[in-house]
Amino acid sequence: MHYPWWYIPFLTSPMLIALVSVFHVLVSHYAVGGGLFLAVETQYAYKTNNRKYLAYLKDHAWFFILLTVVYGAISGVGIWWTIGLSSPIATETLIHIFVFGWAMEYVFFIIEIASAFIFYYYWEKLDPKTHQIVGWIYAISAWISLVLITGITAFMLNPGSWTTNKDFWVGFFNPQLLPQVLSRTGGSLLLSSLYVYAHASFRLKDSELRDLIASRSARPGLLGAVLVCVGGAGWFYFLPESARAALQAASVLNVLMVLITVITIAVFVMLYVGPYKNPKWLSPGFAILFLALGFAAITTGEYLREAVRKPFVVYNVVMSNQILPEEIPHLRQTGYLEGGVWTRAYVKKKYPEMFTGKEIDETKFLFLFENDQIKLGRVLFQYACNDCHATRDGYSPVGHMIRGWTKDMIKEVVKEPEKVHFFMPPFPGTDEEAEVLSKYLESIAPAHPTGMYFGNNL
């Protein structure tokens, strides 16, 4: 409540986070799986003295570093920028709870960066044994980074007993940690194979070498598909009750659950029948199809992971409207606008007559002109609803959701949104604030569509 709101027209701030995060995830998983691929295959190439394969691996390492270290690092900063602006309370909370975890992750991230550059830029300058060690240092540190970050993101879905025993390790080793580490490790292995196929199909003219890469890279891809399914099953099993209810109640989420399962199985079958058994099938078109299916599976999984957390950003810790659950009873007594530095400043500047002493007198809101009540309602919407909803145009637009509703229907939903749908957080404000917010929502709701049946009228 003590941060200014951040408005993103049409897209909304959560969707901007999703956009930046998904593109980052598609690369960060490759940073882990691709590191393991380079470590294993470089060791194999040295052992078999396959100079052609070593030359290809060096070429692939350049592509790998450009995509993961350069783009991955930039998009990672982009995630921090967007979450800090759109979810400041949740970001602050995670930093405070996991400051030691973030510190460890940064250490391993620096090791990743240093070892990746040494691995590539000192190619053929280091002796084979040292070069392989550097490759494994990168691979292991990248995977540990995945585990550390997953512990924190898994906590957001199910903090387990941390809410009663607020210990760092209790929070980190939450019920979702192992399932999500398995699924993300599997996704990393699977994506790395698909990136390798795409790169090799375009860069390699040597059919014999391309067949070797196709065959060898199919194995981590097959293992990855299995781990994704096993981890996904564990993810579902350890969902909190409200998250599972949200998943079961939303038809689109059910469709996506089926979709991610079908895609993963399809990729497994295609990997086995294609590159593993028939490496000569690998072609640019086949590789692009593979990569597109992999992207579809990963992005679907990320959407599901985010969607089922509602009405929380951090389960049982921070609500989706950036309110701590324990703050709600107090705000319902004193007022949402009274509870925030920026909202108080707005009311003080625009409507100083609403103050009695140093506090906002909520009962005076209903004596304002209708237009002024709507303006206060707009401020309430921006702070209490903007984190999930657009107004009339954009992602999840409230205006179109309430199209054709009566005043009483709108007011009822505003006062107790959680009873209408448990996806929604409780309204953390007074009855007067609910009234002015209802009037604002009524002002943005489009007219009922023509030609619809109303009682005896069309």
Side-chain angles (χ1 to χ4, degrees):
M1 266 298 290
H2 299 286
Y3 292 94
W5 58 278
W6 189 42
Y7 176 66
I8 304 295
F10 186 79
L11 190 62
T12 72
S13 56
M15 289 305 292
L16 181 60
I17 293 176
L19 192 62
V20 175
S21 299
V22 162
F23 282 109
H24 175 76
V25 164
L26 293 175
V27 171
S28 62
H29 278 63
Y30 173 47
V32 177
L36 289 167
F37 163 79
L38 286 169
V40 170
E41 295 307 300
T42 302
Q43 185 171 308
Y44 170 80
Y46 276 124
K47 184 178 179 180
T48 57
N49 196 30
N50 191 331
R51 309 312 298 181
K52 287 184 178 180
Y53 198 11
L54 280 171
Y56 169 74
L57 291 171
K58 182 179 181 181
D59 184 55
H60 189 89
W62 178 86
F63 168 76
F64 173 81
I65 288 176
L66 184 65
L67 196 57
T68 62
V69 176
V70 179
Y71 172 80
I74 293 172
S75 58
V77 173
I79 291 175
W80 277 105
W81 179 69
T82 52
I83 66 173
L85 287 171
S86 64
S87 296
I89 296 292
T91 305
E92 175 189 321
T93 301
L94 290 175
I95 290 173
H96 287 170
I97 295 172
F98 293 106
V99 63
F100 180 58
W102 290 119
M104 287 192 292
E105 198 280 325
Y106 290 149
V107 169
F108 283 102
F109 178 68
I110 291 171
I111 294 173
E112 282 180 61
I113 297 294
S115 56
F117 281 121
I118 292 170
F119 182 76
Y120 177 71
Y121 286 105
Y122 283 81
W123 200 292
E124 297 173 347
K125 296 177 183 177
L126 297 173
D127 62 89
K129 184 177 180 181
T130 304
H131 193 219
Q132 292 171 59
I133 290 172
V134 172
W136 278 108
I137 288 173
Y138 172 86
I140 293 169
S141 60
W143 184 78
I144 293 174
S145 287
L146 178 146
V147 173
L148 291 169
I149 294 173
T150 300
I152 297 170
T153 56
F155 172 87
M156 296 173 70
L157 179 58
N158 189 348
S161 60
W162 180 89
T163 51
T164 55
N165 180 9
K166 297 186 178 182
D167 178 76
F168 169 84
W169 295 110
V170 171
F172 183 79
F173 289 105
N174 57 78
Q176 280 284 332
L177 174 64
L178 181 58
Q180 291 199 30
V181 166
L182 286 175
S183 61
R184 290 196 178 280
T185 301
S188 298
L189 293 173
L190 182 58
L191 269 185
S192 69
S193 293
L194 306 186
Y195 273 108
V196 169
Y197 293 155
H199 182 265
S201 66
F202 283 96
R203 296 287 293 179
L204 276 178
K205 303 302 180 185
D206 187 328
S207 59
E208 184 179 347
L209 181 57
R210 189 168 61 242
D211 292 349
L212 173 67
I213 294 171
S215 178
R216 287 189 59 80
S217 297
R219 297 168 189 173
L222 292 169
L223 174 61
V226 172
L227 289 177
V228 166
C229 292
V230 172
W235 171 85
F236 180 79
Y237 181 81
F238 287 107
L239 281 178
E241 183 181 356
S242 67
R244 185 173 298 183
L247 180 64
Q248 293 167 336
S251 57
V252 66
L253 298 185
N254 283 274
V255 171
L256 292 178
M257 280 285 287
V258 174
L259 182 64
I260 191 173
T261 303
V262 169
I263 289 176
T264 304
I265 293 172
V267 170
F268 179 90
V269 172
M270 291 168 67
L271 278 172
Y272 183 79
V273 175
Y276 185 68
K277 285 293 187 179
N278 300 283
K280 292 188 182 298
W281 287 11
L282 184 60
S283 65
F286 194 61
I288 290 172
L289 175 62
F290 257 146
L291 195 59
L293 288 173
F295 284 178
I298 295 294
T299 52
T300 301
E302 291 299 307
Y303 182 84
L304 284 168
R305 183 178 65 84
E306 292 292 317
V308 297
R309 282 209 312 264
K310 295 176 182 178
F312 299 98
V313 176
V314 182
Y315 188 78
N316 274 345
V317 180
V318 182
M319 306 296 295
S320 56
N321 55 4
Q322 297 298 303
I323 294 293
L324 304 179
E326 59 268 25
E327 291 180 312
I328 293 174
H330 175 70
L331 292 174
R332 282 179 165 174
Q333 291 294 321
T334 62
Y336 188 94
L337 297 175
E338 171 67 29
V341 173
W342 303 96
T343 49
R344 276 177 53 84
Y346 175 86
V347 177
K348 184 72 174 178
K349 180 179 180 180
K350 298 290 186 180
Y351 306 101
E353 69 274 17
M354 295 295 102
F355 278 76
T356 299
K358 294 183 178 181
E359 296 182 352
I360 299 173
D361 186 349
E362 308 276 333
T363 61
K364 294 181 178 181
F365 286 176
L366 303 184
F367 293 99
L368 289 167
F369 290 116
E370 186 87 0
N371 189 51
D372 290 315
Q373 291 185 42
I374 289 173
K375 288 180 180 179
L376 280 176
R378 181 173 181 268
V379 174
L380 280 163
F381 179 86
Q382 289 164 347
Y383 279 89
C385 313
N386 173 62
D387 272 316
C388 296
H389 296 285
T391 51
R392 285 184 60 164
D393 298 301
Y395 177 75
S396 191
V398 168
H400 291 285
M401 291 179 177
I402 61 175
R403 189 170 192 164
W405 288 19
T406 65
K407 293 180 181 180
D408 289 340
M409 291 169 65
I410 294 173
K411 189 184 298 185
E412 184 179 346
V413 172
V414 167
K415 292 184 73 171
E416 295 181 308
E418 73 281 8
K419 291 186 178 179
V420 177
H421 206 308
F422 53 83
F423 268 33
M424 303 273 283
F427 177 66
T430 63
D431 288 342
E432 292 80 12
E433 287 177 327
E435 180 75 26
V436 297
L437 178 55
S438 299
K439 289 181 179 180
Y440 170 70
L441 294 177
E442 185 184 352
S443 73
I444 65 171
H448 201 288
T450 57
M452 300 299 290
Y453 182 73
F454 285 95
N456 295 322
N457 299 316
L458 284 177

